[in-house]
Amino acid sequence: MPVIATYEIEALSKAALMRHGAEDWIAASVADAIREAEATGNRICGLYYLESYCQQLETGRVKGDAVPDVTRPRPGSVRVDARFGFAQAAFEKALPEAIAACRENGTASLAVCHAHTCTSLGYFTGQIARAGLIGLGLTNATPIVAPPGGRTRVIGTNPIAFSVPDGQGGIAMQFDQSTTTVALGKITMAKAAGESIPEGWAVDKDGRPTTDPEAALAGSLVSMGGYKGWGFGLMAELLAAGLTGGLASQDVAPLKTPEGAPHDLGQFYLLIDPGMSEHFAARLARVAEGVAANEGARMPGQGRTEAAEVDVPNALWAQLRELAGQA
């Protein structure tokens, strides 16, 4: 298994995206997200998706030349129409306006409309935190979750991400998690590797717990904490689809299928200026102190660093080079 510099992963990812139809700046935006995912060990949101990005660029399922349209319909509300292009590019264009709106009003919302899957929400809320603001992000996805006790899929894994600034241009706390017990990608990766999954991750089509990833994919993932996670998933669904005009999860086709209609997903972000309260920094420090008093405990995301080099499986490295035209 070769050890590859993350800057090389980014460069080859950008080359692959451009080779399959993405504009230079759009390819750069997506490649940066891939690099960060690989550098932080979030492999499900990194090179794992690159092949499907390239295939969907060729078929037109994602528009590699879409120019995002940024508007501010209200003082604290920013919207960007991704025009069926990549979420990363749309967010990049809209973030400065959203930051300005938040600084002016104390809080602001950013609705990313009609976009391709954003993959890692923490990539975006982290940017908000590094700008000195609190960031909360939500999105939806293909239907894979039935209501507790039910069998019919209604919502996706519907992730939520939350990032808090440290006041020095960094991130004091960050979590990025699906509202299911596990992300869908872990099921598909287990299936591809011929491995079983732990009981409690999913149920089969008859609603019975299963350790077979294929049965899980034919059934439903389990909401984290049962009804509690289901409620968070519904919250993400209503905000991500209802406030952006993106599709409800029930109407979203499988994300990695090469052909078909655009994803047409929405991502919804809240930006909050911690400077609205003179107490925020002190309370953050107090909570962090309490966590640190427990041996081995830490704030979510604390100490998170980006590796300069990562292991890349041989097959994935060969695929990356082939997609970039360097095989």
Side-chain angles (χ1 to χ4, degrees):
M1 186 181 299
V3 177
I4 309 299
T6 53
Y7 76 82
E8 188 171 0
I9 289 174
E10 180 177 359
L12 287 176
S13 296
K14 179 183 175 182
L17 292 162
M18 291 181 65
R19 184 167 177 254
H20 289 81
E23 294 287 335
D24 181 286
W25 77 272
I26 294 173
S29 184
V30 178
D32 182 67
I34 292 173
R35 176 204 53 76
E36 182 180 292
E38 291 290 332
T40 56
N42 185 11
R43 297 296 177 84
I44 294 172
C45 294
L47 290 172
Y48 175 71
Y49 261 92
L50 181 61
E51 181 184 32
S52 68
Y53 290 160
C54 292
Q55 291 172 338
Q56 291 165 356
L57 280 165
E58 287 189 322
T59 64
R61 193 172 181 206
V62 60
K63 310 300 182 185
D65 59 353
V67 179
D69 180 30
V70 181
T71 58
R72 200 201 290 196
R74 296 188 183 183
S77 171
V78 176
R79 298 178 67 84
V80 54
D81 186 346
R83 295 179 171 176
F84 305 126
F86 286 105
Q88 292 87 348
F91 184 89
E92 179 182 325
K93 286 297 184 186
L95 182 59
E97 187 71 16
I99 290 172
C102 182
R103 296 207 186 284
E104 292 168 16
N105 298 284
T107 61
S109 65
L110 169 56
V112 179
C113 315
H114 311 301
H116 204 62
T117 178
C118 69
T119 317
S120 170
L121 268 174
Y123 173 73
F124 304 95
T125 59
Q127 293 179 59
I128 294 170
R130 283 189 286 270
L133 306 173
I134 300 166
L136 173 68
L138 312 96
T139 190
N140 62 343
T142 47
I144 192 65
V145 184
R151 298 182 182 180
T152 304
R153 299 170 173 181
V154 178
I155 63 173
T157 54
N158 290 15
I160 298 174
F162 182 67
S163 301
V164 176
D166 64 5
Q168 300 174 3
I171 301 173
M173 166 186 162
Q174 175 170 299
F175 67 78
D176 178 4
Q177 60 195 47
S178 63
T179 52
T180 48
T181 301
V182 68
L184 177 61
K186 290 198 173 181
I187 306 284
T188 57
M189 290 177 78
K191 178 185 175 183
E195 299 172 349
S196 61
I197 59 173
E199 188 169 322
W201 280 13
V203 295
D204 64 18
K205 61 182 178 61
D206 297 315
R208 297 173 301 197
T210 183
T211 59
D212 180 355
E214 190 165 352
L217 293 172
S220 169
L221 299 192
V222 174
S223 295
M224 63 176 182
Y227 285 97
K228 295 180 181 180
W230 170 247
F232 278 114
L234 290 175
M235 177 183 72
E237 181 76 20
L238 295 176
L239 292 176
L243 293 182
T244 68
L247 294 177
S249 287
Q250 296 171 85
D251 301 317
V252 179
L255 299 184
K256 293 189 75 177
T257 301
E259 298 181 344
H263 289 174
D264 197 3
L265 289 168
Q267 296 94 39
F268 188 76
Y269 300 92
L270 289 176
L271 294 78
I272 305 168
D273 186 349
M276 288 194 300
S277 169
E278 62 182 290
H279 305 292
F280 184 82
R283 298 300 181 268
L284 172 61
R286 179 62 179 140
V287 172
E289 177 187 340
V291 173
N294 294 271
E295 186 176 355
R298 60 179 177 81
M299 297 279 277
Q302 185 179 11
R304 177 176 175 265
T305 59
E306 295 186 9
E309 298 179 331
V310 296
D311 295 331
V312 179
N314 290 320
L316 193 57
W317 174 239
Q319 181 188 79
L320 172 57
R321 288 177 56 81
E322 181 179 357
L323 291 169
Q326 296 188 14

